[in-house]
Amino acid sequence: MMLLLIPLLTACESSAPETLSVTAMDTAMFLSVYGGGADTCARIRERTQELDRCLSALDENSEIYQLNHSGIAALSDDALALIQRSLTLCRELDGSFDITVYPAVSAWGFTTGEHRVPTQEELQEIARHVDYHAVAVDGNTVTLPDSFMLDLGAVAKGYLADESRKILNDAGARAAVLNLGGTICLYGSKPDGSSFKVGVADPVNPAAYFGTLSLGECVVATSGGYERYFELDGRRYIHILDPMTAAPVDNGVLSVTIVADEGMVADAYSTALFVMGAHDAAAYYRSHGGFEYILLTDDGTLYVSEGLDDRFTLGDGYDYTMQIIAKGS
Ligand code: AMP
Ligand code: MG
């Protein structure tokens, strides 16, 4: 699977990092840690695998599978923390991000790879079973109404980034670049004081990047239709769905990259701003805050929020029209 974001410069030149590759959460991950002791990468890998086992909607032994298939489950601290934070983000994002989207994701075949186009009637019926308000949390017990199911795929890597940061703190690491497959955790600072460089994948050719970001400690998450989709009769159906219609988003957005302090915010917002589209995403940025973003549309317009204006450099050969989104405009 293609990586969405490519950390370009992972070296803290003065010493070699500890590195490790992990395949989890349906993607390839690359960890580089500087100055944190010999087993820091291994501890992050263990945490990754633990979260994967707990959160996968497809693994029959996972807590989320059991919740989805019995409608009620007593959950571990991890699953509970993730669901509770997600529900807050669903409210904050007014349902453009919705963790109950699983029945829709499944109806289009994105869970199994057996893709199909549901009928309008079917979609209307499914959309009635996509609504995060229906998730009830009482202590550590979570209850879902009939036909409701959770999909934490849009935030699991963001949560992993936040959990990995705790491990890096505990280990006393100096710096780290954790490429968690589309979500990148940048930690600490390089000894020479220079910023981390992150490439933003070109949606038309995801092995290349259309520009670079110079960043300090933060989490960077990208959502792109190119990451998972199928084509039928000349139409492309992508894996990011509008919870209102239960159908793939088709609003001209090609990718959204979010820069935020918290991994879950970066990850949830990248999915949500994709659903909102260019216009509503800009309005959301102006009225909220706490994050920065880059959004590319299929007419070649690149929207860059003002906090990234002097941190983003467009790559050679790309002639996108840049629009800076100012907070006060
Ligand atoms: P991401 O790549 O972080 O944008 O996450 C996309 C994944 O989250 C999809 O593959 C679905 O499993 C799920 N998903 C799709 N649409 C939504 C949505 N509107 N809200 C929450 N999760 C979604
Ligand atoms: Mg996301």
Side-chain angles (χ1 to χ4, degrees):
M1 195 180 194
M2 291 295 179
L3 294 173
L4 312 183
L5 289 153
I6 307 145
L8 300 176
L9 186 61
T10 55
C12 288
E13 290 79 1
S14 61
S15 63
E18 188 204 349
T19 61
L20 202 63
S21 313
V22 188
T23 302
M25 299 184 178
D26 215 15
T27 189
M29 304 183 178
F30 303 95
L31 318 176
S32 313
V33 177
Y34 301 84
D39 66 341
T40 310
C41 281
R43 285 172 57 202
I44 295 172
R45 176 177 58 192
E46 265 168 43
R47 191 77 179 104
T48 305
Q49 290 165 340
E50 181 183 30
L51 288 176
D52 202 7
R53 281 194 299 273
C54 162
L55 303 173
S56 165
L58 291 176
D59 177 351
E60 290 182 20
N61 297 312
S62 85
E63 292 180 45
I64 297 304
Y65 185 94
Q66 282 166 21
L67 172 62
N68 282 348
H69 291 270
S70 56
I72 184 164
L75 299 181
S76 65
D77 290 348
D78 269 328
L80 202 62
L82 183 49
I83 289 172
Q84 278 177 322
R85 182 73 184 115
S86 294
L87 289 173
T88 304
L89 292 166
C90 289
R91 282 190 287 275
E92 215 168 283
L93 291 158
D94 203 18
S96 50
F97 163 69
D98 191 320
I99 55 168
T100 62
V101 77
Y102 189 87
V105 176
S106 169
W108 290 89
F110 286 112
T111 48
T112 57
E114 288 163 26
H115 298 124
R116 56 187 281 275
V117 177
T119 63
Q120 275 308 318
E121 293 74 42
E122 200 180 343
L123 288 180
Q124 276 167 17
E125 179 60 20
I126 290 165
R128 297 202 303 114
H129 301 120
V130 176
D131 181 2
Y132 65 92
H133 294 97
V135 181
V137 182
D138 180 12
N140 69 342
T141 301
V142 175
T143 315
L144 302 173
D146 273 358
S147 307
F148 277 70
M149 292 195 185
L150 299 190
D151 178 344
L152 298 168
V155 273
K157 291 178 216 151
Y159 183 71
L160 172 61
D162 295 331
E163 290 302 296
S164 299
R165 191 150 46 190
K166 291 182 191 164
I167 295 173
L168 294 166
N169 274 335
D170 287 348
R174 181 155 36 85
V177 176
L178 310 180
N179 187 339
L180 307 174
T183 297
I184 296 183
C185 177
L186 303 173
Y187 177 87
S189 56
K190 293 162 55 181
D192 65 2
S194 64
S195 12
F196 297 105
K197 301 275 189 297
V198 172
V200 186
D202 175 352
V204 179
N205 175 20
Y209 44 87
F210 66 70
T212 54
L213 283 164
S214 298
L215 299 165
E217 181 166 305
C218 65
V219 179
V220 191
T222 291
S223 289
Y226 59 89
E227 201 189 347
R228 201 176 300 163
Y229 62 87
F230 67 96
E231 282 171 342
L232 201 69
D233 299 331
R235 277 197 64 179
R236 180 179 285 206
Y237 301 93
I238 66 167
H239 71 124
I240 298 170
L241 308 182
D242 183 340
M244 295 304 291
T245 61
V249 173
D250 184 16
N251 59 9
V253 176
L254 295 181
S255 80
V256 178
T257 296
I258 303 281
V259 176
D261 290 338
E262 186 189 340
M264 279 196 69
V265 165
D267 212 353
Y269 278 45
S270 68
T271 310
L273 265 70
F274 197 110
V275 174
M276 289 178 198
H279 180 269
D280 288 0
Y284 191 88
Y285 174 75
R286 290 187 187 110
S287 57
H288 295 70
F291 73 100
E292 301 294 337
Y293 79 99
I294 292 176
L295 184 153
L296 178 65
T297 53
D298 58 8
D299 64 355
T301 310
L302 189 66
Y303 300 83
V304 178
S305 68
E306 65 178 354
L308 295 181
D309 189 8
D310 57 2
R311 294 183 170 276
F312 177 74
T313 309
L314 191 62
D316 289 343
Y318 289 93
D319 60 354
Y320 301 148
T321 308
M322 294 243 291
Q323 269 201 36
I324 306 302
I325 307 299
K327 280 251 173 58
S329 62

